[in-house]
Amino acid sequence: MLTRRSFAGLASCAICGITDFIATEAFAQGAQPPAAGGVTRKILSQIDGPAPGYTTIIMDVTIEPGVSIPRHTHPGIESSYCMEGGGGELPVEGQPMRIIKAGEAFQIPPETPHAGGKAADTKTRLLINYIVEKDKPISKPA
């Protein structure tokens, strides 16, 4: 079972909302999502839980310079950590504009529209942790 301390440690090394893909059955079963539009995603870990009906996914996401991510939502929490690059805008509904910077982390609440800001001028690499409802697409347009 995931304790608060374990979750906080895991959440502190993840970053928010920089994906625009829709989950497929293959993705739900652990297959790697395809690269598309200057964004590469690699699933590092996926496990059922922390509660029935949820899945936890840890993903390495690379966004090429000049690529803007469309505004979207997730059916659960997205926690992110910027491992390298950054400099792009991350608008999150109900929050002040944020500029993504290497070494910083942030979280996006469930079903909160985010992304769609000015793209970064450098390659950005994120470690993203999703805790999302299992039978829903991981992302949908907002």
Side-chain angles (χ1 to χ4, degrees):
M1 180 154 166
L2 189 64
T3 65
R4 287 183 189 185
R5 177 174 276 165
S6 298
F7 176 75
L10 186 60
S12 70
C13 64
I15 193 162
C16 167
I18 317 276
T19 56
D20 65 341
F21 62 95
I22 302 298
T24 64
E25 286 302 314
F27 178 73
Q29 298 305 316
Q32 296 297 328
V39 180
T40 305
R41 300 168 187 89
K42 180 180 179 186
I43 297 172
L44 303 175
S45 176
Q46 182 171 352
I47 189 168
D48 287 346
Y54 283 83
T55 189
T56 299
I57 302 165
I58 300 174
M59 190 176 296
D60 183 345
V61 177
T62 301
I63 305 164
E64 295 302 322
V67 173
S68 181
I69 304 301
R71 192 166 159 84
H72 61 280
T73 63
H74 302 286
I77 296 170
E78 177 185 349
S79 302
S80 301
Y81 176 76
C82 185
M83 296 186 288
E84 67 180 77
E89 293 179 343
L90 178 61
V92 178
E93 189 171 284
Q95 297 181 17
M97 179 62 72
R98 159 180 305 150
I99 303 296
I100 298 170
K101 297 178 184 171
E104 293 185 354
F106 58 92
Q107 292 182 298
I108 306 296
E111 302 297 343
T112 302
H114 59 287
K118 180 180 174 280
D121 293 332
T122 61
K123 178 173 83 170
T124 300
R125 191 160 165 234
L126 308 169
L127 181 64
I128 301 177
N129 179 58
Y130 298 100
I131 299 176
V132 294
E133 292 180 60
K134 193 171 186 176
D135 295 327
K136 292 189 177 179
I138 196 167
S139 177
K140 65 181 179 182

